[in-house]
Amino acid sequence: MPLMNLRDCRALERRLLCGWYYIFSSRKWKRSKVSARRSQECAGILNFASGCHNVSDADICSICANSLRNQRIICVVENIRDVIAIENTQQFSGTYHILGGVISPLDGIGPDQLQIESLISRLAKEQTEELVFALSPNIQGDTTIYYIQKKMQNLQCRVTTIARGIAFGGELEYADELTLGRSLQNRMPVDRYISH
Ligand SMILES: [Zn+2]
C-alpha cells in the first residue's frame, strides 16, 4: 500500500475525530456512565473552527475554506452529527453553522449557551443570502428558529427551513439520506412553517 501524503493523513485524522465525536455525542453514549469523563477527554483533543464551530484542526474548517462551496448560504444545525448527515446526502453546497444544541429551558439551555451571537455576526460580515435551518422538528427546534429570526430582523437575508412535514423519526441524524436530501432540495420559507 502506498504511503499516504499529508493531505490524506489530515483527511483521515479529521474523519477519525469526527467519528469519535459522533460516538461521544450520541444519545446512547450520553446515557452511559462513563460518558461525562470520556466526553471531556474527547473535547480536549478536538479543535473547533472559530467561525462555524465545526471540528477543525485549523481556525477555518475545510468546508468554509473550500472555494467551490457557496459561502453565501449557511445551514444552521445543532451539532456535527447533523453536518455529517447532510454532507452524506451530497445535496448541500453551502457552509454550516453549528449551534451546539437548541434552546431548551427545561434542560437549562438558554440562547447564551449556544453559538447564536456568532451566527448573527457572521450573517452581517459574510453578506449571507440564505440561512437554512436544519433543526429537529420539535418545540425546542421551533423556539430556536423563532429566537434567531427575531434577532436578524434588520438583516436582508432569506430564511428557509428544510421541509419538515416529512417524518424524520425525530432527529436529523436518524433521517435516511434520500429523505434528508429531498427535504434540503424542497426547503421552504420559514414564515410559511412557523406562524408568529
Ligand atoms: Zn466552517
Side-chain angles (χ1 to χ4, degrees):
M1 195 179 133
L3 283 172
M4 286 195 295
N5 61 29
L6 186 64
R7 209 176 136 183
D8 289 341
C9 283
R10 286 211 175 279
L12 180 64
E13 184 188 57
R14 201 158 35 238
R15 279 171 66 181
L16 285 171
L17 286 175
C18 286
W20 280 113
Y21 190 82
Y22 186 92
I23 292 166
F24 288 140
S25 55
S26 71
R27 278 181 163 188
K28 222 173 180 178
W29 178 265
K30 276 181 180 165
R31 280 201 299 263
S32 72
K33 283 180 184 164
V34 284
S35 69
R37 188 166 54 85
R38 283 276 188 265
S39 295
Q40 263 180 359
E41 284 171 9
C42 177
I45 56 163
L46 286 177
N47 295 317
F48 298 91
S50 64
C52 68
H53 312 287
N54 194 5
V55 172
S56 171
D57 42 14
D59 192 45
I60 297 174
C61 85
S62 57
I63 293 175
C64 293
N66 185 345
S67 59
L68 296 175
R69 306 208 47 139
N70 188 340
Q71 308 287 335
R72 297 277 169 95
I73 302 181
I74 298 177
C75 180
V76 180
V77 294
E78 289 168 42
N79 54 50
I80 185 125
R81 285 172 288 148
D82 299 335
V83 174
I84 295 166
I86 293 174
E87 283 297 287
N88 284 341
T89 69
Q90 301 185 328
Q91 297 295 323
F92 181 71
S93 60
T95 63
Y96 296 92
H97 190 88
I98 294 141
L99 291 177
V102 281
I103 298 171
S104 180
L106 285 178
D107 299 314
I109 303 170
D112 294 345
Q113 283 146 278
L114 305 170
Q115 302 293 353
I116 293 177
E117 282 306 321
S118 65
L119 171 65
I120 304 298
S121 55
R122 263 187 86 186
L123 295 176
K125 204 167 70 187
E126 298 177 20
Q127 296 177 312
T128 307
E129 288 168 1
E130 184 181 350
L131 191 68
V132 186
F133 283 105
L135 303 179
S136 296
N138 53 32
I139 185 82
Q140 291 86 356
D142 291 353
T143 306
T144 310
I145 293 176
Y146 184 74
Y147 180 87
I148 294 175
Q149 227 196 344
K150 285 276 168 203
K151 286 226 121 190
M152 53 185 286
Q153 266 175 349
N154 298 327
L155 295 167
Q156 296 287 325
C157 175
R158 192 166 168 245
V159 187
T160 59
T161 177
I162 60 170
R164 289 154 67 101
I166 311 156
F168 283 146
E171 288 190 18
L172 213 60
E173 62 179 298
Y174 300 122
D176 66 84
E177 279 175 25
L178 202 68
T179 309
L180 187 55
R182 233 183 259 143
S183 67
L184 275 159
Q185 286 173 340
N186 301 330
R187 54 189 189 257
M188 57 177 124
V190 83
D191 292 340
R192 254 197 278 159
Y193 174 73
I194 295 179
S195 51
H196 298 155

